[in-house]
Amino acid sequence: MRLVIDPTRCHGHGTCAQLLDEYIRLDKWHYPIVAKQKVSVSHADLLRRAAQLCPELAISIVDE
Amino acid sequence: MIESVSASIMAPTGPRRLSLGWESAQRPVPSGRVAFVSDLSARPRLVMPLAEHVAAYGRLPGGLTMRMVLDTLRAANLTGRGGAGFPFWKKLQAVATAESRKSPVVIANGSESEPLSKKDALLLKNNPHLVLDGISLVAGMLGAKSAYLYVKDREAHTAVNAAIRERRERGISELRVTIVEAPAGYVAGQETAVVRRIGKGPALPQFSLDRISSSGLRGAPTLLSNVETFAHVAMILRFGAEWYRQGGQGGDRGTRLLTLVGAVGRPGVYELSPGASLAELLREADASDPRAVLFGGYFGRWIDLGAPNTAKFPLDDQALAEHKLSFGAGILGVVGRETCPVVEAAAITEYLAGQSAGQCGPCVHGLPEISTAMARIALSSDVERGMHDLRSVIPLVEHRGGCQHPDGVIQLVRSTVGAFAEEVKLHRSGRCSAQGSHTSVLLPPGASVGTGGAG
């Protein structure tokens, strides 16, 4: 699985970084930087939750 | 109906250029390889009627197969003329092999959103039938039922509209070509912005996991290329890859349109035959004392002409790549001794920061910071801090936009501080080599020279 954020949708709410601190950190403007794209299977549920909780629905999970 | 003459590769019998039939192309060209086609204020001179067009270029070739077309375009090595320079045959193949239930769509991009570019409007105004030939051929090959021409220039719009009507009346093509007006704005010409606008959305870039070749306009496989690319397709499929690369009986061969602007006596659109050198072009354009050239447009790269004989290299893809340059959108911006290339770049950076679509955080917040840093360097106000800020901000912006806009700006900035390291050093000591005032010859007409915010 791969984590992708649509930068045109993201408004920098930062919810994803709180839930997925292992994968996402925020830049100085509070926009997410995806530090790790590949998501381990054990984190799949957490990732789906983060995707649902994103206020802009900017997170996509790509199955590979 | 597409009239069939011959699918074979024909050698042309006379000079065939994109600008055939244009008034100035009839004048003798000193070097034979650089043709001045039009100045920047060009009005449409002579839209070639369809009958004359067919007499000059020949009828549309018929009986082509996709295999033949792909092979021919591959052998010709035709690359897109809008900026990215992607091999056209690969694009065509991607659309042709896309798995989709929707029938493919063809889009010719004539938005010319690079403010300094004039070649596309000129081509559409003076030779609309050649572009439409290319669109027809490509659409025919793909089985596309609809095609779009995305145009900004008003006169080009009128010319293309008349040409489409003429073709319909003469029954030359059954293809439905719709003209869609491109709004102003630098990002309006970005691939996904074009697709979005034609789909009745805003002309803003869109993020997608799919390429438009598999899912573009309304989800259909979409082939999008610059209008000049289509004109070349129309010639290559008539005269062959051999003609395009090696030349025919008339000594002519595949050309390229360039817009040359800046510190030159004769700014305008030039048609270049391969082999012509930068020096020849600059001579033809009456550049009295060129110091540097920005290649490709605002997302381009610089070459410093400081050392003797620097401009002697031929203007072809290979030689350009050796100099880490590319044709980009076909724009060459010449800077002389009156202005400073670092100041020019700072002014362009500020302009581009203002042209962000405003959608992605790193672009919205990062480009103004990059612009301010460039202004510090350009105005010699605090070069140290400017360089430091560039180093810290660029990694926060690069590859983080939904389109190429931020990365294009970064390419310009990197090239500037790389090519003009000596000039930057001079600025550190509070000096500047420009002999004129701090103004720009490369800003778009009407744009203000601010380079403010660095105080």
Side-chain angles (χ1 to χ4, degrees):
Chain A
M1 292 173 97
R2 197 158 56 90
L3 165 67
V4 180
I5 298 176
D6 178 346
T8 65
R9 278 178 173 256
C10 174
H11 282 187
H13 296 279
T15 318
C16 54
Q18 284 175 11
L19 283 166
L20 301 169
D21 56 355
E22 198 178 312
Y23 296 90
I24 295 172
R25 60 189 176 85
L26 298 180
D27 66 19
K28 65 174 182 174
W29 308 296
H30 306 287
Y31 284 86
I33 296 172
V34 180
K36 209 166 117 185
Q37 269 207 337
K38 291 262 180 206
V39 179
S40 65
V41 186
S42 59
H43 288 153
D45 284 342
L46 186 66
L47 182 65
R48 282 194 199 94
R49 212 171 126 233
Q52 281 164 4
L53 286 175
C54 170
E56 307 298 334
L57 299 177
I59 300 175
S60 300
I61 304 155
V62 183
D63 287 312
E64 283 179 327
Chain B
M1 292 288 286
I2 293 174
E3 289 183 65
S4 171
V5 278
S6 166
S8 68
I9 288 164
M10 301 184 299
T13 52
R16 290 186 168 98
R17 294 171 176 271
L18 292 176
S19 53
L20 185 67
W22 300 353
E23 195 181 72
S24 58
Q26 305 302 318
R27 287 191 307 211
V29 177
S31 70
R33 297 192 291 196
V34 179
F36 178 66
V37 177
S38 165
D39 63 33
L40 295 175
S41 62
R43 319 306 292 177
R45 288 197 179 100
L46 188 82
V47 177
M48 213 190 288
L50 187 55
E52 276 180 43
H53 168 78
V54 173
Y57 291 98
R59 289 175 176 170
L60 283 177
L64 300 169
T65 65
M66 182 57 94
R67 191 70 265 161
M68 288 160 68
V69 168
L70 287 173
D71 287 347
T72 304
L73 294 173
R74 185 179 188 170
N77 198 22
L78 175 67
T79 49
R81 297 294 163 85
F86 192 74
F88 186 79
W89 72 270
K90 283 190 185 171
K91 222 177 226 192
L92 182 58
Q93 189 175 53
V95 177
T97 57
E99 282 177 30
S100 175
R101 271 173 294 173
K102 298 191 173 177
S103 83
V105 173
V106 173
I107 301 173
N109 188 358
S111 60
E112 205 154 48
S113 54
E114 278 276 344
L116 300 179
S117 181
K118 296 287 175 202
K119 71 172 178 74
D120 293 336
L122 193 78
L123 177 66
L124 290 171
K125 277 190 277 195
N126 291 278
N127 215 346
H129 283 298
L130 198 60
V131 177
L132 290 166
D133 281 352
I135 295 170
S136 286
L137 287 164
V138 170
M141 280 296 113
L142 289 170
K145 291 190 183 68
S146 50
Y148 297 86
L149 237 165
Y150 187 64
V151 185
K152 184 164 65 188
D153 186 90
R154 202 167 278 276
E155 287 167 350
H157 195 295
T158 307
V160 171
N161 200 28
I164 290 172
R165 203 178 324 119
E166 195 182 8
R167 292 165 89 90
R168 204 178 299 141
E169 284 163 6
R170 300 279 175 108
I172 194 175
S173 176
E174 291 165 340
L175 179 73
R176 202 185 135 86
V177 182
T178 308
I179 305 173
V180 176
E181 198 180 318
Y186 196 83
V187 296
Q190 293 258 353
E191 191 173 83
T192 56
V194 176
V195 168
R196 227 170 145 186
R197 175 74 193 92
I198 294 174
K200 308 248 191 282
L204 297 173
Q206 188 163 31
F207 178 83
S208 173
L209 295 170
D210 298 313
R211 289 180 187 277
I212 64 162
S213 57
S214 60
S215 177
L217 183 65
R218 298 181 195 98
T222 302
L223 185 135
L224 184 149
S225 196
N226 171 266
V227 288
E228 189 195 334
T229 322
F230 284 98
H232 287 292
V233 169
M235 300 236 274
I236 293 166
L237 295 184
R238 277 186 172 97
F239 313 134
E242 187 76 7
W243 164 81
Y244 186 76
R245 290 177 66 106
Q246 310 295 335
Q249 291 165 11
D252 59 312
R253 52 193 273 206
T255 59
R256 173 180 288 279
L257 293 176
L258 289 178
T259 311
L260 190 77
V261 293
V264 296
R266 227 165 35 139
V269 177
Y270 288 78
E271 182 161 7
L272 229 76
S273 294
S277 69
L278 176 59
E280 274 175 80
L281 177 62
L282 291 172
R283 201 161 48 236
E284 182 65 15
D286 207 3
S288 55
D289 195 8
R291 175 185 174 182
V293 181
L294 178 62
F295 260 80
Y298 284 171
F299 288 175
R301 291 199 182 100
W302 291 99
I303 181 161
D304 186 346
L305 302 178
N309 298 327
T310 316
K312 286 246 166 99
F313 64 91
L315 291 169
D316 59 47
D317 288 317
Q318 199 187 334
L320 256 57
E322 283 166 18
H323 287 82
K324 295 193 168 60
L325 301 169
S326 79
F327 285 110
I331 300 158
L332 267 60
V334 181
V335 174
R337 309 282 156 186
E338 291 297 305
T339 61
C340 166
V342 179
V343 175
E344 297 276 1
I348 295 169
T349 304
E350 186 185 346
Y351 166 79
L352 291 174
Q355 290 292 316
S356 167
Q359 298 185 121
C360 306
C363 186
V364 170
H365 297 281
L367 293 193
E369 290 192 20
I370 290 174
S371 172
T372 302
M374 282 296 283
R376 288 187 203 285
I377 299 164
L379 302 177
S380 310
S381 64
D382 192 342
V383 176
E384 210 65 55
R385 181 164 166 203
M387 291 299 286
H388 172 270
D389 289 352
L390 283 183
R391 277 190 295 274
S392 69
V393 178
I394 284 174
L396 292 182
V397 179
E398 196 168 28
H399 307 313
R400 292 187 66 212
C403 72
Q404 294 80 40
H405 193 71
D407 291 359
V409 176
I410 289 168
Q411 172 157 290
L412 170 72
V413 167
R414 275 214 185 102
S415 170
T416 305
V417 296
F420 306 110
E422 287 301 313
E423 181 69 37
V424 171
K425 208 182 275 177
L426 201 62
H427 285 216
R428 267 183 217 273
S429 60
R431 289 175 293 163
C432 175
S433 69
Q435 291 162 8
S437 57
H438 273 192
T439 52
S440 163
V441 292
L442 298 183
L443 265 193
S448 64
V449 195
T451 50

